[in-house]
Amino acid sequence: MTDILIKGARVLGGEPADLLLRDGRIAEVGTGLTAEGAEVVDATGLVALPGLVDLHTHLREPGREDAETVYTGSRAAALGGYTAVCAMANTSPVADTAGVVEQVYRLGQEAGLVDVQPIGAVTVGLAGERLAELGAMADSAARVRIFSDDGFCVADPRLMRRALEYVKAFDGVIAQHAEEPRLTQGAQMHEGDVSAKLGLTGWPAVAEESIIARDVLLAEHVGARLHVCHVSTAGSVDIIRAAKARGVRVTAEVTPHHLLLTHEKAESYDPVYKVNPPLRTNTDVQALREGLRDGTIDIVATDHAPHAAEDKECEWAHARPGMLGLETALPIVLDVLGEQWDLIAERMSRAPARIAGLDGHGNDLVAGAPANLTLIDPTTRWTVEPTGLASLSHNTPYAGMTVPGRIVATFLRGVPTVLDGKVQK
Ligand code: DOR
Ligand code: ZN
């Protein structure tokens, strides 16, 4: 393995420093470093962050390899500055057995661009009726620690309680897609003035909030860890803030799209804006941003949800919900938060790595740490083009938008996965 000498990178936006990557680790950090035989990467003006970690990625393999594969999703992730992603369980077959999570894990290793950490389903087939083999998935080669029926809510409170009790034994976490299904039947978008105007069935904020309120109480009762996926309403932020103040073991994520876009986007009837949970109001967006700043919301997770053209480029009612996220997450967050590099590193790398238990990721860029990092050019603005993205699907809501921040290079255990903005496999 060739040594890499990164020259003049601004670690977390600080003063320029050199980083020597050797044998998968950061061997040295300093100024004026030299290393014979090392490949030199000029990082003048670039910001170095620990490699980003996505707690919520849909890779679609097995089952929908026409929309995304572990390999294509890994390429998109590396190009987005990620060194680890957690792959959601709503594949076909569902990742509800040791066999399927091991398959996804192996595919991730073969792709070799990011660490792919499979998430296991909570219930068999995501059907919400019987617990899946959580223990076997935890004990498998994939070492599953996060379980989620994402796409669906674990709506039955007794099952949710059992799941929390089960994973408590090995410090696992249940990641809940909070949606009371009885309140969202037929829902097409956020319930509010825009849905009323368009005549589309609404998805009310309370459908999310009532499940989160219930689940923080269940997590408190059991003493287990709950993670709330894609928080989308101001009321949810309040519930989580109060639960944290009481000491409940709850963490939460927000997506880049819920930090930026609002339900007015549906007025275009362009299904690229259809997502679950739906885009909400500007009041919600402001509360989510505040929650992210004050730590009520621990992390940004992409909910990268590639969909084939036939499932997305159709009329609104028939389109699948979901948006691409991996290649645009950092630019959108940079746009929303500004150059608060330490906060960005916390919300997009350190905290997600902690929640997922991925010890090799989310570490400070100091000598001895695993060499998982990304280099960002904060001054370059670029225009998002759906066909210019590495994902197999094109359903980005940011098409034509000019965003700040270009990922120039990414390193996974000292090996460049992206150099000069180009993926290395
Ligand atoms: O918009 C979404 N898309 N929300 C989900 O919960 C699932 C995801 C998907 O799998 O496409
Ligand atoms: Zn979800």
Side-chain angles (χ1 to χ4, degrees), residues 139-201:
D139 292 341
S140 75
R143 294 191 77 258
V144 176
R145 288 294 176 273
I146 305 178
F147 298 87
S148 181
D149 274 3
D150 181 63
F152 300 97
C153 182
V154 181
D156 179 342
R158 196 169 69 130
L159 260 183
M160 187 61 182
R161 176 189 176 173
R162 292 279 174 258
L164 287 163
E165 285 171 346
Y166 201 104
V167 301
K168 187 184 172 189
F170 50 86
D171 204 30
V173 57
I174 303 294
Q176 176 70 294
H177 169 116
E179 173 182 355
E180 170 48 70
R182 304 278 288 166
L183 293 174
T184 61
Q185 277 172 21
Q188 293 292 334
M189 64 172 297
H190 171 66
E191 181 181 291
D193 54 341
V194 180
S195 68
K197 190 169 81 183
L198 300 180
L200 293 174
T201 306

Side-chain angles (χ1 to χ4, degrees), residues 56 58 150-152 177 229-230 276-277 303:
H56 192 148
H58 296 275
D150 181 63
F152 300 97
H177 169 116
C229 295
H230 41 52
N276 192 18
D303 197 3

Side-chain angles (χ1 to χ4, degrees), residues 115-423:
D115 285 342
V116 174
Q117 174 57 58
I119 290 173
V122 178
T123 69
V124 174
L126 311 177
E129 285 165 7
R130 284 185 295 132
L131 280 191
E133 46 183 65
L134 310 185
M137 289 189 272
D139 292 341
S140 75
R143 294 191 77 258
V144 176
R145 288 294 176 273
I146 305 178
F147 298 87
S148 181
D149 274 3
D150 181 63
F152 300 97
C153 182
V154 181
D156 179 342
R158 196 169 69 130
L159 260 183
M160 187 61 182
R161 176 189 176 173
R162 292 279 174 258
L164 287 163
E165 285 171 346
Y166 201 104
V167 301
K168 187 184 172 189
F170 50 86
D171 204 30
V173 57
I174 303 294
Q176 176 70 294
H177 169 116
E179 173 182 355
E180 170 48 70
R182 304 278 288 166
L183 293 174
T184 61
Q185 277 172 21
Q188 293 292 334
M189 64 172 297
H190 171 66
E191 181 181 291
D193 54 341
V194 180
S195 68
K197 190 169 81 183
L198 300 180
L200 293 174
T201 306
W203 195 134
V206 69
E208 174 173 305
E209 292 154 6
S210 57
I211 291 291
I212 298 176
R214 179 201 80 177
D215 283 356
V216 295
L217 292 173
L218 286 173
E220 186 170 31
H221 177 71
V222 173
R225 291 169 61 203
L226 168 71
H227 177 76
V228 186
C229 295
H230 41 52
V231 171
S232 70
T233 80
S236 299
V237 177
D238 286 341
I239 294 163
I240 294 162
R241 190 180 281 119
K244 284 191 165 184
R246 281 206 314 279
V248 179
R249 300 175 76 197
V250 57
T251 54
E253 74 189 33
V254 64
T255 68
H257 46 272
H258 289 110
L259 287 171
L260 189 72
L261 307 173
T262 59
H263 64 156
E264 284 86 2
K265 288 286 183 195
E267 289 172 354
S268 67
Y269 285 109
D270 184 341
V272 80
Y273 299 115
K274 183 171 175 179
V275 65
N276 192 18
L279 302 176
R280 306 277 187 193
T281 68
N282 184 48
T283 307
D284 295 307
V285 167
Q286 298 311 320
L288 292 167
R289 290 179 179 193
E290 186 51 35
L292 186 66
R293 287 192 198 96
D294 74 17
T296 301
I297 297 176
D298 303 77
I299 66 170
V300 174
T302 67
D303 197 3
H304 178 80
H307 285 297
E310 77 209 58
D311 294 323
K312 205 60 184 164
E313 291 164 27
C314 52
E315 71 182 274
W316 182 284
H318 293 134
R320 301 256 173 99
M323 301 172 163
L324 299 184
L326 287 168
E327 293 169 80
T328 46
L330 191 275
I332 298 300
V333 171
L334 190 55
D335 202 29
V336 167
L337 291 182
E339 291 195 36
Q340 301 191 63
W341 296 111
D342 191 64
L343 184 64
I344 292 172
E346 179 64 21
R347 300 283 183 261
M348 297 184 79
S349 176
R350 290 182 219 129
R354 274 199 305 274
I355 293 167
L358 296 171
D359 297 341
H361 296 270
N363 293 291
D364 288 335
L365 301 181
V366 296
N372 296 318
L373 64 147
T374 186
L375 300 175
I376 300 147
D377 175 358
T379 59
T380 296
R381 298 179 70 87
W382 57 284
T383 302
V384 180
E385 283 176 36
T387 54
L389 300 174
S391 176
L392 261 189
S393 297
H394 304 304
N395 53 307
T396 174
Y398 311 113
M401 237 180 83
T402 298
V403 294
R406 199 176 76 95
I407 308 295
V408 176
T410 308
F411 301 89
L412 178 65
R413 283 181 287 279
V415 177
T417 55
V418 173
L419 272 184
D420 209 7
K422 290 178 195 66
V423 70

